[in-house]
């Protein structure tokens, strides 16, 4: 690890100011991605701005038609939340499948969403549920937020404060874990709303994406059989030592069916 | 008397108290006054000419004390890292043995090859300076696979090693095998890969070196399974340090599995550097560094053929293997795929003729050496796979074909056609026990239940034997060993009757502090708590060859048993004097020396006291003190074995293989501590399951980059991958070790890969699948099923 300055601001504006005024500064939330990167000397920010002392970024609130999860809420809290388990059980299940117990205790929803790792779980839940990313300056729809490999719509100095999830009629997440890392080799989140179904896929390409043919089929008939014959194109999908693109494409259909099963159970 | 805990009991492990409470003493826990930090700079290229190194910016960096390179090694006239085995080809020509410099000179030959050593006040400063080294590489194409390496036109690692072949080794009667194949009713053929593995002990390698000018002595603390061997190889053959001026300490070590049983260049560099900078230096490998520098295991490509008569009797077995050595010869490297492989190809069967050819090949990869099982898992995998292939092709039940060919219990000792003679065993007994324990008779019901869920269930057998307890020195010498393979133990009885044992094996997870204490407690009748086992320090332990090859109890335990017998013999002489009886009339039992047929007796403590306060003592004929030493060189290997039965369920939709049941019935000879044996079997089986289903070291052909260079990409087996295992022993006693023990450290790893893969193939056999290479990953299984044009599983 290379030396860096460390700041622990108490207010969001102060944090935003540090981020914009110090070139090569980085936010740290749970640190589950950033700290290993620093330890391997793959990143060397001049300063870290730690969000852990900012007020109001933790916790889950019930707004009726939506639930709002503070950006600094750890995965383990979301997984164990009676509120999330009751209103969006698929999201609680997703949180329970992230990493291992240590990662779930430290890692945060805001950190995961801001990082936009192509194999992370939360982007599938956020996009699949059509959530809204609430930041220090504005609100961004999930469909406009995830821009590609580790890229998001966040501006420099913009800090995620919460994610607001609409409560669906049903939702489910199915994850095929990469054997070694246990990131999503393929993860599919399916959510059924009054006005239709959303299907979001993570792990298979440079970023999370929706599958309109599956959404249309499931909007007609919310049953695994409706999508059994729908294959996604292998163009642009990841091939690596664990899985070639055609296998990932195949697993998208399998996991999508299992996500629907989970939503129905 | 106190608390005697003897052979056959399962006390909790003595050493676990300190491990579980964070009071272990590992190399990285040790701090020396004035200690500096060392960092190795490693080649990022698989193959390159080293044109030059500009140290100036690194030397000017904050806190830097020294930067050492291959030129400095050459200037000091230091030796090459030695290979402990010299094998020869069929004509008696010695293997090609190119030098293995401790820091690269002229060329780098694998990603991770050491190029420089940077010493600074802190690890951060050393790392920062390492990034400032300007190293001029001329990158060459790399070759990483054995098939590619022996092809004409392949990149050549060494100018004087044509086609990268280190040795073209063979074993067995080629003509007899060819004759048997000519009259065979059936020939089964199999091509397979034995996947490359990375050991991944929990504790990464580490070392501290210190030079004391006052005594002209060096001390090296290192994560080693054999400190005396490091002292010998490094002191005598690399650094020219006299043995009495070099102390090597291997304190608590967090797992080895073979990875730590070699003399590594890091040990030599840091020891040499400590004198150059006149300060202690510490180096601790990162996990990533371990991936590209810990010696790897396995990595074979094999073609095998089994000749059978019309009844399924094995007539002859022919095996041709290409074995990957990596970029240089490691300490035991060439011995593993040859002497520890070919002689095991007879297995538990009466195959009368066997021929094995192994081409040992250099590639641009980390050197390959022993990893738990070392050669025997590879042999077992080839044999137990082809037995299944033959059974399937001939329409004979897999258990039945094994029975028809098994060596009957009465036929032991059994001379195989490939050098080794099995002293004892009962493979049929192990098989029968395992069939019951695994509830094989109800497998059909379980298979139907799986089918109802859309899953394919399979059962796999592995009836195997291995050779361990390394090793009879004379025999090993004939095969090319350059050292002895005996073991030594000293039993020091203190004046108050407590006992300290100094033993040359090394405990890094095996439970020696418990098992060896039980042997002493049992034999001397002293309290289990009153026995301490000392190991891992060349200044405290007389000598030793260390721990590997399931040898600690077999060879070290035998030395301990012999030394303990000598203590009893001397105690009888002392008792004979004190009790005024003839020595022949003195009995020793349950911690008491007594005169036969009388109630006159002396306790063990009284005898110890008399030995150290020799007022009433036969000083004219007997030395005072009570301390005895023994060296033990075994007359043969030991041959543990058994039957493993794996049961798997395959999800055809995803290709996922789930191990649902696992049963092992093993013959490990006398069991000292059943709990520890069970633990060793569990651990060994899990490592074998890891090879079969998860682990794979993958290199990129051409660049030589290790693609599976972290725990993110190299899949280790985890608790949730495994069922509760059924493990039992069915022992016959070894006829030549003092206690009848055979060793149990590696059997699990040796028997299990074939059992698991045989089960996977069985699960998929209805689709025409005849072989699955390891690891049987979901991706690989799915692709096999695609190629088998499988109808997608039922909903």
């Amino acid at each position: 690890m290379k030396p860096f300055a460390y700041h622990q601001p108490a207010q969001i504006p102060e944090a935003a100011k540090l981020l914009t005024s110090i070139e090569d500064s980085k936010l740290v939330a749970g640190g589950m991605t950033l700290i290993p990167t620093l330890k391997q000397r793959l990143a060397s920010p001049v300063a870290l701005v730690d969000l852990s002392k900012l007020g109001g970024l933790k916790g889950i609130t019930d707004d009726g038609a939506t639930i709002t999860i503070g950006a600094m809420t750890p995965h383990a809290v979301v997984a164990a939340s009676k509120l999330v388990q009751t209103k969006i059980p698929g999201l609680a299940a997703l949180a329970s499948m992230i990493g291992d117990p240590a990662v779930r205790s430290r890692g945060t929803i805001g950190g995961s969403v801001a990082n936009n790792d192509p194999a992370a779980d939360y982007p599938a839940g956020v996009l699949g549920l059509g959530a809204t990313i609430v930041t220090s300056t504005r609100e961004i729809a999930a469909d406009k937020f995830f821009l590609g490999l580790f890229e998001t719509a966040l501006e420099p100095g913009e800090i995620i404060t919460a994610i607001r999830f609409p409560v669906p009629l049903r939702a489910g997440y199915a994850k095929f874990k990469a054997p070694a890392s246990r990131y999503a080799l393929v993860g599919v989140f399916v959510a059924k709303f009054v006005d239709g179904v959303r299907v979001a896929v993570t792990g298979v390409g440079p970023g999370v994406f929706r599958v309109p043919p599956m959404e249309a089929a499931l909007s007609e008939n919310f049953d695994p059989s409706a999508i059994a014959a729908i294959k996604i194109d292998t163009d642009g999908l990841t091939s690596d030592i664990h899985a070639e693109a055609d296998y990932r494409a195949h697993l998208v259909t399998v996991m999508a069916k299992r996500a629907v099963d989970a939503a129905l159970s | 008397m106190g608390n005697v805990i003897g052979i056959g009991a399962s006390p909790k492990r003595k050493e676990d108290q300190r491990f579980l409470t964070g009071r272990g003493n590992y190399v990285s826990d040790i701090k020396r006054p004035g200690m500096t930090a060392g960092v190795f700079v490693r080649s990022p290229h698989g193959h390159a000419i080293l044109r030059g190194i500009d140290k100036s910016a690194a030397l000017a960096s904050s806190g830097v004390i020294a930067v050492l390179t291959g030129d400095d090694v050459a200037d000091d006239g230091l030796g090459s890292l030695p290979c402990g085995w010299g094998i020869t080809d069929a004509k008696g020509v010695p293997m090609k043995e190119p030098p293995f410099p401790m820091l690269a000179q002229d060329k780098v030959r694998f990603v991770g090859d050491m190029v420089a050593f940077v010493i600074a006040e802190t690890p951060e400063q050393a790392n920062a300076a390492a990034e400032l080294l300007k190293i001029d590489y001329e990158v060459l194409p790399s070759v990483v696979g054995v098939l590619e390496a022996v092809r004409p036109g392949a990149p050549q690692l060494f100018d004087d090693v044509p086609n990268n072949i280190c040795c073209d080794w063979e074993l067995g009667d080629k003509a007899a095998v060819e004759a048997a194949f000519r009259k065979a009713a059936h020939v089964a053929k199999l091509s397979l890969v034995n996947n490359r593995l990375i050991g991944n002990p929990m504790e990464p390698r580490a070392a501290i070196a210190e030079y004391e000018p006052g005594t002209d002595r060096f001390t090296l603390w290192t994560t080693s399974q054999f400190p005396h061997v490091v002292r010998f190889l490094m002191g005598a053959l690399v650094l020219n340090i006299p043995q009495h001026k070099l102390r090597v300490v291997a304190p608590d070590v967090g797992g080895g599995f073979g990875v730590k049983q070699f003399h590594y260049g890091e040990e030599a560099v840091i020891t040499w550097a400590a004198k150059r900078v006149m300060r202690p230096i510490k180096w601790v490998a990162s996990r990533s560094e371990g991936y590209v520098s810990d010696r790897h295991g396995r990595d074979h490509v094999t073609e095998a053929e089994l000749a059978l008569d019309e009844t399924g009797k094995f007539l002859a077995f022919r095996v041709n293997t290409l074995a990957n050595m990596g970029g240089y010869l490691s300490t035991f490297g060439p011995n593993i795929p040859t002497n520890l492989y070919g002689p095991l190809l007879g297995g538990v069967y009466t195959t009368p003729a066997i021929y094995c050819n192994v081409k040992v090949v250099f590639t641009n990869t980390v050197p390959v050496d022993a990893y738990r099982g070392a050669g025997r898992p590879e042999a077992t995998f080839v044999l137990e796979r082809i037995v299944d292939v033959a059974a399937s092709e001939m329409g004979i039940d897999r258990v039945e074909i094994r029975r028809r060919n098994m060596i009957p219990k009465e036929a032991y000792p059994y001379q195989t056609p490939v050098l080794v003679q099995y002293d004892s065993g009962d493979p049929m007994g192990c098989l029968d026990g395992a069939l019951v324990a695994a509830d094989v008779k109800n497998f059909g019901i379980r298979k139907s239940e799986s089918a109802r869920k859309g899953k394919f269930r399979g059962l796999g057998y592995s009836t195997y034997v291995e050779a361990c307890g390394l090793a009879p020195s004379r025999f090993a010498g004939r095969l090319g060993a350059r050292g002895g393979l005996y073991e030594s133990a000293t039993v020091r009885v203190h004046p108050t009757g407590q006992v300290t044992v100094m033993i040359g094996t090394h405990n890094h997870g095996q439970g020696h502090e418990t098992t060896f204490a039980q042997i002493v407690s049992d034999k001397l009748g002293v309290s289990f708590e009153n026995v301490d086992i000392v190991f891992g320090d060349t200044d405290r332990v007389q000598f030793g060859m260390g721990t590997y090859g399931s040898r600690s109890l077999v060879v070290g335990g035998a030395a301990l048993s012999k030394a303990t017998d000598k203590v009893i013999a001397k105690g009888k002489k002392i008792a004979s004097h004190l009790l005024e009886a003839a020595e022949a009339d003195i009995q020793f039992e349950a911690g008491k020396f007594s005169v036969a047929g009388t109630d006159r007796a002396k306790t063990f403590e009284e005898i110890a006291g008399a030995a150290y306060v020799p007022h009433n003592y036969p000083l004219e004929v007997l030395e005072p003190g009570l301390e005895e030493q023994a060296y033990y060189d075994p007359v043969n290997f030991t041959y543990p074995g058994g039957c493993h039965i794996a049961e798997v369920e395959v999800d055809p939709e995803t290709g996922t293989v789930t191990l649902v049941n696992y049963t092992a019935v093993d013959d490990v000879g006398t069991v000292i501590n059943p709990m520890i044996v069970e633990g060793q079997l569990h651990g060994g089986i899990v490592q074998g399951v890891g090879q079969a289903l998860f682990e794979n070291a993958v290199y990129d052909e051409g660049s030589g980059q290790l693609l599976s260079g972290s725990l993110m990409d190299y899949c280790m087996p985890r608790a949730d991958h495994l069922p509760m295992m059924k493990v039992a022993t069915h022992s016959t006693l070894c006829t030549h070790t003092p206690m009848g023990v055979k060793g149990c450290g590696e059997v699990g790893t040796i028997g299990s890969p074939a059992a698991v893969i045989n089960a996977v193939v069985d699960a998929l056999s209805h689709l025409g699948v005849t072989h699955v290479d390891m690891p049987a990953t979901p991706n690989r299984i799915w692709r096999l099923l695609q190629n088998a044009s499988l109808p997608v599983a039922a909903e």
Side-chain angles (χ1 to χ4, degrees):
Chain A
M1 201 178 284
K2 299 177 187 177
F4 53 81
Y6 176 75
H7 302 277
Q8 203 175 35
Q11 302 294 334
I12 288 173
E14 187 191 347
K17 192 172 167 222
L18 284 164
L19 285 169
T20 46
S21 63
I22 308 171
E23 204 178 334
D24 284 335
S25 59
K26 268 204 186 308
L27 275 184
V28 57
M32 293 296 90
T33 300
L34 182 62
I35 301 297
T37 311
L38 297 181
K39 284 167 77 175
Q40 291 179 70
R41 302 173 71 86
L42 295 173
S44 49
V46 171
L48 286 192
V49 180
D50 181 352
L51 302 187
S52 64
K53 287 288 186 284
L54 296 184
L57 295 193
K58 273 189 188 170
I60 303 167
T61 52
D62 183 357
D63 321 313
T66 62
I67 62 173
T68 302
I69 302 178
M72 288 293 286
T73 309
H75 314 320
V77 171
V78 176
S81 160
K82 289 279 176 279
L83 177 62
V84 182
Q85 286 173 359
T86 308
K87 291 216 156 184
I88 320 180
L91 188 63
L94 176 149
S96 77
M97 294 180 210
I98 300 171
D100 53 38
V103 166
R104 290 196 289 276
S105 296
R106 285 288 307 173
T108 67
I109 188 169
S112 172
V113 170
N115 191 44
N116 192 21
D117 187 300
D121 298 291
Y122 263 132
V126 170
L127 186 64
L129 286 162
T132 300
I133 292 91
V134 183
T135 77
S136 50
T137 55
R138 58 181 168 148
E139 296 194 349
I140 310 169
D143 283 316
K144 301 260 159 92
F145 182 83
F146 299 106
L147 302 183
L149 191 68
F150 295 105
E151 267 190 73
T152 68
L154 289 170
E155 297 288 340
E158 188 175 8
I159 299 167
I160 299 177
T161 57
I163 316 281
R164 196 166 65 233
F165 292 94
V167 175
L169 299 173
R170 293 179 175 282
Y173 182 60
K175 175 180 182 178
F176 192 86
K177 292 175 181 176
S181 70
R182 301 210 166 177
Y183 273 86
L185 193 77
V186 174
V188 181
F189 199 97
V190 173
K192 183 182 188 199
F193 294 92
V194 176
D195 56 352
V197 173
R198 293 171 67 99
V199 177
V201 176
T202 188
V204 307
V208 63
F209 60 87
R210 291 171 63 185
V211 188
M214 287 189 179
E215 294 182 348
L218 289 170
S219 297
E220 288 288 312
N221 174 18
F222 195 75
D223 187 88
S225 61
I227 51 172
I230 299 177
K231 301 281 176 207
I232 68 159
D233 193 6
T234 55
D235 274 0
L237 300 195
T238 306
S239 270
D240 58 26
I241 60 171
H242 306 296
E244 285 109 32
D246 59 342
Y247 177 55
R248 278 190 160 87
H250 163 78
L251 282 180
V252 169
T253 304
V254 176
M255 290 299 119
K257 288 193 300 175
R258 292 185 185 183
V260 174
D261 265 333
L264 289 170
S265 68
Chain B
M1 275 289 298
N3 180 30
V4 170
I5 298 179
I7 292 169
S10 290
K12 287 194 176 139
R13 302 201 319 170
K14 280 181 172 231
E15 49 269 68
D16 285 345
Q17 181 68 29
R18 72 174 185 278
F19 295 150
L20 296 176
T21 55
R23 290 182 167 85
N25 179 41
Y26 297 89
V27 171
S28 62
D29 293 323
I30 295 169
K31 293 184 176 67
R32 302 296 302 167
M35 191 165 76
T36 64
V39 165
F40 287 96
V41 179
R42 297 176 184 277
S43 170
H45 305 294
H47 197 189
I49 294 167
L50 193 52
R51 293 213 168 281
I53 301 174
D54 179 357
K55 303 181 187 179
S56 52
L59 281 169
S61 183
S62 168
V64 171
I65 296 163
V67 177
L68 301 172
T69 69
D71 286 348
D72 301 304
V73 174
D75 289 347
D76 279 8
L78 303 178
S80 162
L81 295 175
C83 181
W85 283 74
I87 57 169
T88 55
D89 72 9
K91 300 187 192 86
V93 178
M95 67 184 189
K96 298 281 195 304
E97 195 172 357
F100 187 174
M102 53 199 237
L103 290 174
Q105 292 165 0
D106 308 326
K107 212 176 179 193
V108 290
R109 293 183 176 85
F110 65 93
V111 170
D113 205 354
M114 298 194 295
V115 174
F117 188 48
V118 177
I119 304 148
E121 296 293 339
T122 69
E124 290 73 20
Q125 290 170 332
N127 274 312
E131 289 170 1
L132 297 174
L133 273 185
K134 292 195 185 72
I135 306 172
D136 184 8
Y137 293 105
E138 181 186 330
V139 179
L140 303 172
S142 292
V143 62
V144 303
V146 284
L147 291 170
E148 292 75 12
V150 298
R151 267 184 206 141
Q156 301 291 296
L157 270 75
F158 300 96
D159 293 341
D160 52 353
V161 183
N163 303 314
N164 297 312
I165 295 175
C166 164
C167 189
D168 189 348
W169 182 90
E170 67 173 33
L171 175 68
D173 188 337
K174 194 175 187 178
V177 167
E178 279 166 6
F181 269 85
R182 280 194 294 273
K183 61 177 187 183
H186 184 79
V187 174
K189 296 185 180 185
L190 179 64
S191 303
L192 58 80
V193 171
N194 200 287
N195 44 325
R196 187 184 186 99
L197 303 179
I198 299 174
N200 263 316
M202 193 177 288
E203 179 205 26
R205 288 189 298 120
I208 300 171
E210 179 170 329
Y211 176 70
E212 292 172 72
T215 56
D216 188 31
R217 283 194 103 217
F218 293 83
T219 303
L220 170 69
W221 289 264
T222 179
T223 51
S224 180
Q225 300 174 217
F226 61 175
H228 287 86
V229 180
V230 171
R231 182 178 67 168
F232 174 73
L233 295 175
M234 182 176 84
L237 304 176
V238 184
L239 299 182
N240 306 316
I241 300 170
Q243 296 291 288
H244 66 302
K245 294 297 187 188
L246 176 57
R247 177 186 181 196
V248 178
V249 184
D252 284 332
V253 171
F257 313 117
V259 166
K260 296 170 182 169
Q261 69 170 72
F262 318 121
H263 170 41
Y264 280 94
E266 289 91 342
E267 295 168 324
V269 171
I270 198 170
T271 305
W272 163 65
K275 185 174 178 185
R276 285 184 65 119
V277 302
M278 291 301 246
R279 299 263 302 270
I281 309 169
K282 177 189 267 190
W283 160 75
V284 180
S286 67
R287 178 69 56 186
S288 312
E289 195 176 5
Y291 270 97
V292 295
S293 64
D294 290 357
R295 303 304 178 234
H296 293 183
R298 317 286 194 257
D299 203 345
H300 289 192
V301 175
T302 293
E303 303 276 341
E305 295 167 283
L306 182 65
L308 304 95
D309 72 10
E310 59 285 346
T311 69
K313 280 286 272 184
F314 306 158
L315 301 175
F317 190 30
R318 182 160 53 206
V319 175
N320 290 294
T321 292
L322 291 170
N324 203 330
M325 277 291 98
Y328 302 91
L329 294 182
S330 174
T331 310
F332 296 108
N335 181 49
I336 308 306
T338 55
N339 293 318
L340 294 185
Y341 175 70
L344 269 297
L345 291 169
V348 294
Y349 310 116
T350 56
T351 319
I354 297 171
Y355 172 76
C356 172
N357 171 252
V358 181
K359 290 186 176 66
V360 179
V361 180
F362 288 114
T363 66
N364 295 112
T365 62
V366 168
V368 178
D369 207 321
Y371 166 66
R372 199 173 190 174
R376 292 97 85 207
E378 296 93 312
T380 300
F381 189 68
V382 176
L383 179 56
E384 289 301 297
R385 277 296 302 126
I386 204 165
V387 167
D388 265 29
V389 170
S392 163
E393 288 174 352
M394 294 185 74
I396 304 173
D397 177 78
R398 294 174 292 161
V399 173
E400 178 55 28
I401 201 169
R402 285 176 165 83
R403 286 193 196 280
R404 284 181 198 172
N405 289 283
M406 257 179 196
I407 303 164
K409 190 179 178 183
E410 314 76 65
Y412 289 84
Y414 186 85
Q415 178 62 50
T416 72
V418 274
L419 299 177
V420 291
Q421 186 187 80
Y422 307 144
D423 65 298
S424 61
D426 180 18
M428 202 85 79
C430 291
L431 171 62
D432 287 334
L435 289 171
V436 173
D439 189 27
V440 168
K441 70 176 193 302
N442 289 314
F443 172 72
I445 297 170
R446 300 195 292 277
K447 190 174 174 72
S448 304
E449 284 165 4
S450 295
R452 272 199 293 281
K453 295 183 291 175
K455 306 277 178 69
F456 305 144
R457 192 176 275 247
L459 199 61
Y461 303 90
S462 171
T463 50
Y464 72 98
V465 65
E466 67 126 328
C468 69
L470 307 183
S473 294
R474 198 179 292 151
F475 186 84
R478 281 203 297 273
L479 298 180
R482 291 167 173 170
L485 288 151
Y486 46 82
E487 199 43 79
S488 84
T490 297
V491 175
R492 177 175 297 161
V493 182
H494 299 283
T496 44
Q498 293 92 358
V499 178
T500 301
V501 172
M502 274 65 66
I503 194 158
T505 53
H506 190 279
N507 183 28
H508 41 275
Q510 295 85 349
H512 295 170
E513 289 166 60
T514 305
T515 302
F516 291 155
Q518 282 179 252
I519 293 171
V520 174
S521 182
D522 191 286
K523 293 187 71 118
L524 296 184
V526 297
S527 194
F528 176 66
E529 293 76 21
N530 287 344
V531 185
D532 263 7
I533 310 298
V534 172
F535 58 90
D537 184 344
T538 60
D539 270 10
R540 295 182 73 194
V541 176
Q542 59 289 342
F543 202 69
M545 303 310 294
T547 284
Y548 52 89
S550 304
R551 68 188 306 277
S552 300
L553 180 60
V554 174
V555 191
L560 174 58
S561 176
K562 275 181 71 181
T564 311
D565 287 340
K566 289 184 182 178
V567 166
I568 295 168
K570 185 170 182 181
K572 283 183 177 174
K573 289 188 200 304
I574 299 168
S576 131
H577 173 85
L578 294 176
L579 295 168
E580 296 175 342
E583 191 185 327
D585 291 336
I586 302 293
Q587 296 175 328
F588 180 65
E589 209 185 321
K592 271 196 177 146
F593 294 90
S594 60
V595 181
T598 76
D599 59 358
R600 289 190 295 137
K602 290 281 179 189
T603 65
F604 183 77
E605 288 76 9
E606 286 173 314
I607 295 298
Y612 287 96
V613 187
H615 297 167
N616 177 17
Y617 194 90
L619 285 166
E620 298 73 15
V621 293
L622 203 61
E623 295 170 7
L626 194 53
E627 172 170 326
E628 296 290 346
Q629 189 173 92
Y631 279 64
Y632 176 80
D633 199 312
V635 301
N636 191 356
F637 296 94
T638 57
Y639 302 95
C643 177
H644 288 204
I645 301 180
E647 196 168 323
V648 301
E649 204 175 61
V650 179
D651 176 356
E653 265 199 326
T654 61
T656 304
V657 176
T658 306
L659 184 65
V660 289
N661 284 312
Y662 200 92
T663 305
V665 175
D666 289 311
D667 178 356
V668 297
T670 303
V671 173
I672 308 293
N673 182 317
M675 176 192 73
I676 287 177
V677 168
E678 195 175 338
Q680 285 286 315
L681 294 174
H682 282 175
I685 290 165
V686 171
Q687 279 179 303
V689 170
Q691 168 160 35
L693 296 181
F694 310 112
E695 300 184 44
N696 203 16
V698 183
Y699 275 98
D700 182 41
E701 196 65 58
S703 74
Q705 295 298 322
L706 179 63
L707 301 178
S708 55
S710 80
L711 288 166
M712 296 287 278
D713 289 306
Y714 186 90
C715 185
M716 298 291 288
R718 305 186 194 200
D720 66 358
H721 285 137
L722 298 155
M724 293 303 289
M725 290 176 265
K726 290 182 200 145
V727 168
T729 53
H730 173 85
S731 287
T732 59
L733 299 192
C734 175
T735 60
H736 59 83
T737 55
M739 296 174 287
V741 299
K742 294 187 179 181
C744 70
E746 295 165 290
V747 286
T749 319
I750 292 164
S752 52
V756 174
I757 293 299
N758 283 343
V760 175
V761 173
D762 179 49
L764 306 178
S765 60
H766 63 293
L767 304 166
V769 171
T770 56
H771 180 65
V772 177
D773 267 325
M774 301 188 289
T777 60
N779 187 40
R780 179 169 277 162
I781 297 292
W782 177 77
R783 200 158 299 283
L784 260 178
L785 297 182
Q786 293 307 108
N787 296 341
S789 311
L790 163 83
V792 175
E795 288 295 328

